[in-house]
Amino acid sequence: PPPAPTVPSAPLFRTLIVHDDGLEAPCTDSWIVTVVFDLDRATVDVADLACDANDGVAGGGGLNNLVETNNVDDDETNDEACIGVPQIEVSKTVSSGPVDNGDGTYTVTYTVTAANTGCGPGTYDVIDILDPAAGISVVGDPTLAYGGGETNDTTPAGTFTAAGGTGTLIVDDEGLVAGGTETWIVTVIFDIDRATVDVADLACDPYDGTAGGGGLNNLIETDNTDDDESNDEACIGVPQREVSKTVTRG
């Protein structure tokens, strides 16, 4: 076998990996090339995540890899292998609630949506973070249900332990094909201690990484494929009913 190749630091990695290797008819040889790619999502153009035909210059698109051989290779149409790069965006919204349960508690349902807008299959995680205002607590364990879409590969439905500001991993290494979309439904029951809660905290505040984000706040964290974090937080305010009485006659 040839010695391990040294990959040059040029933009186009061109390396002789098999040299003067003999092969008798009608035999075949195969060689396995394994590459680890690092994707800088802060600078990469999303359009370049798809595969383009290689034109001999750097930046062929996607995770492109091709071979060049001597003139015994008459068919060059299969000399290129490429797979697109996934781009999975995850968002959270309030889908229903708060529903007054009649006992001082409220039920809120959140929907987590994952969409692969990239050009290749990928995986993603979702960490759920409950961040209600001080004086608002979670009753029991929230529930997670699969809302539909491509397919539920790895994640069991049911209850999960709410870990507060540290978050809970609710979706782990879930696969999603290019162009695929799927949803997850998180249902939470909140209890409001109106004797201690500050009325101003019943409204929603932007999450700042600390506990007590205001209202019935719930957000998610994902891995680094999610470039748009502006829609990772879902919050709805808490109703505050004020009842008063006055003397109208007498």
Side-chain angles (χ1 to χ4, degrees), residues 90 123-127 169-174 221-223 225:
V90 184
T123 60
Y124 66 97
D125 301 334
V126 177
I127 297 174
L169 181 67
I170 59 172
V171 179
D172 185 19
D173 202 26
E174 176 73 15
E221 290 181 355
T222 61
D223 53 28
T225 65

Side-chain angles (χ1 to χ4, degrees), residues 8 11 32 38 80 92 97 100 126 131 153 158-159 168 176 204 212 219 237:
I32 309 299
D38 182 38
E80 182 177 5
K92 170 169 275 192
D100 190 340
V126 177
D131 185 43
D153 295 327
T159 60
T168 304
L176 192 60
C204 294
L219 67 150

Side-chain angles (χ1 to χ4, degrees), residues 133-137 191-202 240:
I136 301 176
S137 59
D191 181 45
I192 303 171
D193 185 353
R194 296 189 181 272
T196 60
V197 70
D198 189 329
V199 174
D201 290 337
L202 298 181
Q240 177 72 5

Side-chain angles (χ1 to χ4, degrees), residues 89-108:
E89 299 289 346
V90 184
S91 61
K92 170 169 275 192
T93 58
V94 175
S95 47
S96 70
V99 176
D100 190 340
N101 298 320
D103 58 358
T105 66
Y106 293 85
T107 298
V108 180

Side-chain angles (χ1 to χ4, degrees), residues 73-122:
D73 184 12
D74 294 333
D75 183 8
E76 297 182 353
T77 61
N78 57 4
D79 289 352
E80 182 177 5
C82 183
I83 188 169
V85 181
Q87 178 74 13
I88 299 178
E89 299 289 346
V90 184
S91 61
K92 170 169 275 192
T93 58
V94 175
S95 47
S96 70
V99 176
D100 190 340
N101 298 320
D103 58 358
T105 66
Y106 293 85
T107 298
V108 180
T109 302
Y110 305 89
T111 298
V112 178
T113 302
N116 187 352
T117 59
C119 305

